[in-house]
Amino acid sequence: MRILIITDAYYPSRAACAVRMKVIAEVLRTFGHDVQVLACDTSLVSAPIGYQWPDYVHFFHVAEMGEKTVVNRLRNNLSGSMGAVKAANELGDFDAVFVTSPPLLMTRAAAKIAKRKNARLIFDVRDIWPDVAYEMGSFTPGSIYGRVFSRIANSAYDAASLITTVSPGKAEKIRARLKVDTSYKVEIIANGLDLNFVEQECDPAVEERFELDEGPICTYIGNIGLAQGLGRLLDLAKSRPDVRFLVFGDGAEKASLEARAEKEAIANVRFCGLLDSQGVYTVLRHSAVSFVPLVNSNLSDSVPTKMFEAIGCGCPVLLAAQGDSVRILDDLKLGIAAAPEDFDQLRAALDRLVDEPFSAERVAVARKRVAESYSRQSEAEKLAILIDEICRR
């Protein structure tokens, strides 16, 4: 079959979405399908010098986001939708169009492309919009943004032949929004560990640059935005001055967090910028704790990908969350979870992880289990079978 994947981010971007889509595309190709990928050109911002992408990957231009206001986000997303439609016109016909969200507006482009090419539409939901915006307090159901995004989401649910999502909680929410006789369309294709990630070697230059042999180290790696609630990391750093806190990434909240750390003289926090995949692997292999936070307990159906990468590297997780991600961490048994709002529990969990390290045997068992039971590759194989089924109906 010919399958078109439409995504906001793709390799060489290190965004969780980019990694998810890269694994899906590669697995679908191993099944013998002709896979073409359309992605925003912002994916190339951190590309290595001289990087040449595969000929089945195509990048289209989007307006720069700049400050992440609602207006700028809409402008960026609308330009991406138009760019995707234009780029798809040059790629011929398809049997299936697979689109991942957010951004939700990209689904409008995908539905239009699928209709033009008489293809099945597959809607991959990583975060449920606008629900996640309500949960973070960004806007309310009665607002114009809430009404518009709800209409777009419902239209995509109706148009899709298959709806995939990443956790049981999200699947339950989506089914509740569908017509009773279409809930069968929802399937879970979970987030997980990219097995290629843990096959790397440590980078000596990264070890030296960040003095990774001087610990203990608590690491955060990922987007520094509203959904992460990284103010808690600064609170934890103030309570444990003997622990080094290394923050890797970028995002809307980075400047304010840096300003607070400077104002409050939190000397054991270091903002370290971006890392490539090998750098992430290296840091996690040397860290005593990986801090994996969500801003509040409302995001109970979210499962941060960084948790799988940390455990795959043998790094215990301090998870500030409730719900689906806690159940997975309980299964993997390499970390402690606490509610994001409960600082005392988070502090006690950090103390325990730093002062009472897991045994080498426990770490080895967890690394093996996450690779065997929570890999992106096995989930992508499940997706390949589902796509084959819906296209042959």
Side-chain angles (χ1 to χ4, degrees):
M1 294 182 293
R2 294 201 81 220
I3 301 171
L4 177 64
I5 293 176
I6 305 175
T7 175
D8 177 51
Y10 196 78
Y11 187 83
S13 168
R14 270 288 300 160
C17 168
V19 179
R20 178 177 172 83
M21 292 303 105
K22 182 175 184 287
V23 171
I24 285 174
E26 290 174 346
V27 169
L28 288 174
R29 285 172 60 82
T30 66
F31 275 67
H33 302 309
D34 177 0
V35 178
Q36 301 293 311
V37 178
L38 283 178
C40 299
D41 60 0
T42 49
S43 303
L44 298 170
V45 169
S46 300
I49 296 174
Y51 172 72
Q52 183 59 53
W53 52 90
D55 59 7
Y56 61 86
V57 179
H58 315 271
F59 294 101
F60 55 88
H61 180 67
V62 294
E64 291 186 13
M65 179 84 72
E67 184 181 356
K68 289 189 177 181
T69 63
V70 173
V71 172
N72 285 350
R73 192 182 297 274
L74 286 172
R75 179 171 167 267
N76 169 271
N77 291 177
L78 285 169
S79 70
S81 297
M82 292 186 289
V85 171
K86 182 177 179 181
N89 289 337
E90 308 297 322
L91 298 177
D93 293 330
F94 292 94
D95 298 290
V97 175
F98 179 100
V99 62
T100 187
S101 170
L104 182 60
L105 286 178
M106 198 68 79
T107 64
R108 293 177 66 86
K112 186 174 183 178
I113 294 166
K115 187 173 182 180
R116 283 184 180 179
K117 299 180 182 294
N118 195 29
R120 300 281 190 172
L121 177 65
I122 299 144
F123 181 20
D124 180 56
V125 183
R126 306 186 325 277
D127 284 314
I128 302 175
W129 272 79
D131 302 47
V132 69
Y134 304 154
E135 292 162 354
M136 292 191 299
S138 299
F139 50 78
T140 62
S143 67
I144 185 170
Y145 299 118
R147 295 197 302 271
V148 169
F149 280 119
S150 290
R151 193 174 301 121
I152 294 170
N154 290 335
S155 176
Y157 295 143
D158 289 342
S161 297
L162 173 66
I163 303 166
T164 59
T165 193
V166 296
S167 71
K170 289 189 191 321
E172 183 178 345
K173 282 184 179 179
I174 294 170
R175 289 189 182 108
R177 295 180 62 164
L178 299 177
K179 298 173 183 176
V180 175
D181 61 347
T182 59
S183 61
Y184 64 88
K185 296 195 295 186
V186 182
E187 297 280 354
I188 297 173
I189 302 297
N191 273 327
L193 174 69
D194 177 7
L195 297 179
N196 296 315
F197 176 76
V198 292
E199 293 177 356
Q200 303 179 93
E201 299 290 338
C202 286
D203 183 346
V206 171
E207 295 172 336
E208 181 179 357
R209 179 182 175 190
F210 299 110
E211 302 171 310
L212 297 182
D213 291 328
E214 297 182 17
I217 296 171
C218 178
T219 299
Y220 173 80
I221 304 173
N223 185 48
I224 306 175
L226 292 173
Q228 287 70 45
L230 284 171
R232 278 302 189 209
L233 181 141
L234 298 186
D235 297 335
L236 290 168
K238 289 176 70 174
S239 73
R240 284 298 301 251
D242 60 317
V243 177
R244 297 175 61 214
F245 289 77
L246 303 183
V247 180
F248 296 89
D250 200 1
E253 294 296 293
K254 182 181 178 183
S256 63
L257 290 168
E258 287 179 315
R260 180 189 160 192
E262 182 176 358
K263 180 180 179 181
E264 299 180 17
I266 309 175
N268 57 326
V269 174
R270 179 178 175 183
F271 291 85
C272 306
L274 299 171
L275 287 174
D276 61 15
S277 178
Q278 187 181 16
V280 173
Y281 175 83
T282 304
V283 169
L284 288 173
R285 290 288 287 153
H286 286 78
S287 296
V289 181
S290 174
F291 184 47
V292 180
L294 293 172
V295 67
N296 60 47
S297 295
N298 294 333
L299 301 172
S300 60
D301 56 12
S302 293
V303 181
T305 306
K306 56 180 73 71
M307 178 173 69
F308 299 106
E309 292 187 342
I311 294 174
C313 291
C315 180
V317 168
L318 172 55
L319 177 65
Q322 297 283 276
D324 287 338
S325 56
V326 176
R327 286 186 280 274
I328 293 173
L329 185 60
D330 287 345
D331 180 50
L332 292 171
K333 297 180 174 60
L334 196 70
I336 303 174
E341 301 84 358
D342 193 332
F343 176 73
D344 289 340
Q345 281 196 11
L346 286 170
R347 161 66 194 269
L350 175 65
D351 289 345
R352 186 172 163 192
L353 290 170
V354 171
D355 299 334
E356 304 173 27
F358 289 101
S359 67
E361 181 182 4
R362 178 85 164 265
V363 170
V365 169
R367 294 187 71 185
K368 181 179 180 183
R369 177 153 181 78
V370 73
E372 291 179 346
S373 301
Y374 294 93
S375 80
R376 288 184 183 272
Q377 279 76 5
S378 62
E379 290 296 304
E381 289 175 4
K382 176 182 173 183
L383 174 64
I385 294 169
L386 289 170
I387 293 176
D388 185 73
E389 289 176 354
I390 68 162
C391 288
R392 296 185 188 281
R393 286 175 189 167

